[in-house]
Amino acid sequence: RKRVVAFISGGGSNMLALAKACATPDFPAQIVAVFSDKADAGGLAKAEALGIPTRFFLRKDFASKEAHEAAILAALDALAPDLLCLAGYMRLLSGTFINRYEGRILNIHPSLLPLFPGLNTHQRAIDAGMRIAGCTVHFVTEGMDEGPVVVQAAVPVVPGDTSDTLAARVLTVEHRSYPLALRLVAEGKVRMEGGKAVASGTLPQADGA
Ligand code: GAR
């Protein structure tokens, strides 16, 4: 089974969805550790409750972004992960970091990329008058929220939606999409080649259809 380190900054509901999928029979991946850039990320306690080892690396404990990432990379070396899953990790990785794990880092973003990258995604989707929203799991490249798409899923935007109600609806499909994307990548059914996501065979939709 592929060894995965999940990266979180917050509540960790996507990390939990991945961990639950990994606990099902025949899933091709396992979460070997959860890393955070916040000591109080809610997801850390959730991971510990499942017996998954956790580590946190606070940016302020290091003199530079390079030193912060070097410490994370050194800790990763010891774990020898096959894949890294960014799950609400609110920090941009440098090119140096990404090159070390080229084609092996996944991220989830709560919009239908390339629409609405970056922060405040849901409010911007509402302000733009979108009638659908959704999530994207993609390979991480140097541009923020720019890498090739592995899985997407859509939800409606409904009248009266606020950023919070839309975020909650998108989150429900995130929890299905990320395990599916991890499965596809871990099984080698989707890989990054020449900056594109390449699929072998017919891929399932996020809803399993
Ligand atoms: C999720 O909605 C994720 O897509 C988003 O943060 C939330 C984390 O929730 N990520 C980003 O906005 C990255 N740009 P979680 O901690 O409960 O998984």
Side-chain angles (χ1 to χ4, degrees), residues 4 10 12 14 29 65 73 79 94 106 118 134 136 173 194-195 207:
V4 175
N14 277 291
K65 179 181 177 79
L73 284 167
L79 292 164
S94 71
L106 296 175
T136 304
V173 289
D207 58 5

Side-chain angles (χ1 to χ4, degrees), residues 7-205:
F7 282 67
I8 64 168
S9 299
S13 70
N14 277 291
M15 176 278 299
L16 204 57
L18 291 175
K20 284 185 176 155
C22 286
T24 62
D26 301 327
F27 198 83
Q30 56 178 322
I31 298 188
V32 296
V34 173
F35 284 12
S36 174
D37 64 333
K38 299 265 187 293
D40 59 354
L44 290 174
K46 292 175 190 157
E48 278 154 24
L50 294 175
I52 301 171
T54 63
R55 296 275 309 262
F56 57 83
F57 299 84
L58 309 184
R59 173 64 183 84
K60 70 172 176 57
D61 289 344
F62 298 89
S64 62
K65 179 181 177 79
E66 290 71 28
H68 183 232
E69 288 193 342
I72 297 170
L73 284 167
L76 286 175
D77 282 345
L79 292 164
D82 299 296
L83 297 167
L84 310 181
C85 287
L86 311 186
Y89 188 66
M90 305 307 271
R91 211 166 267 284
L92 201 55
L93 299 175
S94 71
T96 308
F97 190 112
I98 292 166
N99 288 339
R100 282 277 289 276
Y101 286 90
E102 205 193 347
R104 297 194 290 146
I105 313 177
L106 296 175
N107 179 48
I108 188 158
H109 182 75
S111 78
L112 294 170
L113 292 173
L115 291 172
F116 314 119
L119 297 175
N120 210 14
T121 311
H122 302 294
Q123 192 57 52
R124 286 189 288 140
I126 291 168
D127 292 347
M130 295 292 294
R131 300 291 303 275
I132 57 170
C135 70
T136 304
V137 184
H138 63 95
F139 287 108
V140 171
T141 56
E142 265 191 71
M144 183 175 59
D145 301 326
E146 272 184 14
V149 172
V150 180
V151 166
Q152 288 184 310
V155 298
V157 179
V158 303
D161 257 340
T162 64
S163 173
D164 286 347
T165 60
L166 181 55
R169 193 174 310 116
V170 171
L171 204 53
T172 63
V173 289
E174 292 187 51
H175 295 160
R176 293 203 292 273
S177 299
Y178 215 168
L180 170 61
L182 175 58
R183 173 189 283 282
L184 292 172
V185 172
E187 288 176 340
K189 289 186 176 155
V190 178
R191 57 194 190 282
M192 192 168 92
E193 249 177 47
K196 300 248 185 265
V198 180
S200 30
T202 311
L203 300 180
Q205 299 293 308

